[in-house]
Amino acid sequence: GCAVSPKPPTQATNTALYARARAASRSWEAVPVAERAALVGRAADSLAARADDVAAVIVQENGKPLVEALAHDVLPSVQYLRWLEDHAADVLADRPTSLTWMPVRSAVVRRRAHGAVLVISPWNFPLAIPLAQVATALVAGNAVVLKPSELTPRAADVLISIFAHLPDGLLTVLHGDGAVGAALVEAAPDAVVFTGSLATGRRVMAAAALHPIPVSLELGAVDAMIVCDDADLELAAAAAAWGATCNTGQVCASVERILVQASVAD
């Protein structure tokens, strides 16, 4: 049910790609959410069975230690797929609500799929980040076009393989650099999910605003660790060192500054 583009796409190709994804999404959204979650959740067993091989790919491609590849990419991905299978139907269920300006009327909040969702993912967690975003969008009834980092393309092959049982057109992977990602945004998908730098995030938001389409951005920041005077200081010191150096610091929530109460600063 998945496809990989063999060459950089043209604008016409991107437009046709999104049309195909929207058609797939319409059929997929008609499937009850519990069934969608069960189908997407099946990928957890496939990923768990291949955990060592997948972790080896991440080590070779990304360079992180094997223990981090397993603990930060593979295991969380398996756990999240199983969480979706167990909880997605409840999260996406219709919710009754009230219309305060028309108290005699009843209303329901009903969550609908966007259609064709573009996911642009980074290299620092080349499996866990795109998998969570792709799986969430799929369970919600969308079709996904994934543009993984050009630095870690093989990790995207894992997604293609573990979701291969899904209906045709629901997941397409397009490899390439930032120019490919920019062209995909300009071709106007129905929503964009981007994880990366602040500078690129601004460009993604500006391009999406021309259409306009919804955008979800996860960008860099300057993250603070706060240590209070009642903290276990040995644990806090170890946590600070780990938080700053894990994944060589290439983490959206890595420890980049430490705020310590003066009474325990020394």
Side-chain angles (χ1 to χ4, degrees), residues 72-261:
H72 301 163
D73 269 286
V74 179
L75 180 59
S77 297
V78 172
Q79 291 175 321
Y80 185 62
L81 286 166
R82 290 178 173 155
W83 186 92
L84 281 176
E85 184 172 6
D86 292 339
H87 297 286
D90 180 62
V91 171
L92 296 174
D94 292 353
R95 296 281 190 264
T97 188
S98 60
L99 302 175
T100 55
W101 64 95
M102 288 191 292
V104 297
R105 299 291 184 91
S106 61
V108 171
V109 176
R110 178 164 295 157
R111 300 183 185 277
R112 297 296 307 275
H114 287 292
V117 174
L118 171 63
V119 172
I120 302 176
S121 64
W123 55 266
N124 58 336
F125 295 92
L127 178 67
I129 289 177
L131 182 139
Q133 295 165 344
V134 166
T136 302
L138 289 172
V139 167
N142 300 284
V144 179
V145 175
L146 170 65
K147 205 298 283 183
S149 170
E150 64 273 25
L151 301 177
T152 53
R154 291 178 61 207
D157 294 340
V158 174
L159 295 184
I160 287 289
S161 63
I162 66 172
F163 289 127
H165 61 283
L166 295 179
D168 288 343
L170 287 183
L171 176 60
T172 302
V173 174
L174 293 177
H175 291 290
D177 59 11
V180 173
L184 286 166
V185 177
E186 291 166 4
D190 298 311
V192 179
V193 179
F194 171 80
T195 306
S197 70
L198 176 61
T200 303
R202 285 173 171 154
R203 292 197 293 272
V204 169
M205 179 173 278
L210 296 176
H211 299 293
I213 51 179
V215 178
S216 173
L217 301 176
E218 158 117 38
L219 310 176
V222 181
D223 309 299
M225 175 180 174
I226 300 172
V227 183
C228 300
D229 58 7
D230 61 347
D232 179 330
L233 297 185
E234 291 294 326
L235 178 61
W242 178 84
T245 59
C246 173
N247 211 48
T248 64
Q250 300 292 342
V251 185
C252 59
S254 64
V255 175
E256 298 182 57
R257 53 185 173 145
I258 306 175
L259 308 179
V260 186
Q261 281 193 270

Side-chain angles (χ1 to χ4, degrees), residues 17-107:
L17 174 66
Y18 289 144
R20 179 172 179 262
R22 290 183 185 107
S25 174
R26 285 191 292 271
S27 299
W28 179 238
E29 189 181 12
V31 176
V33 62
E35 293 182 29
R36 296 199 303 261
L39 279 169
V40 172
R42 274 177 50 189
D45 292 336
S46 175
L47 184 56
R50 299 167 49 202
D52 291 337
D53 292 339
V54 172
V57 168
I58 295 169
V59 170
Q60 293 163 5
E61 190 167 58
N62 171 279
K64 66 178 67 182
L66 179 61
V67 65
E68 291 187 8
L70 285 166
H72 301 163
D73 269 286
V74 179
L75 180 59
S77 297
V78 172
Q79 291 175 321
Y80 185 62
L81 286 166
R82 290 178 173 155
W83 186 92
L84 281 176
E85 184 172 6
D86 292 339
H87 297 286
D90 180 62
V91 171
L92 296 174
D94 292 353
R95 296 281 190 264
T97 188
S98 60
L99 302 175
T100 55
W101 64 95
M102 288 191 292
V104 297
R105 299 291 184 91
S106 61

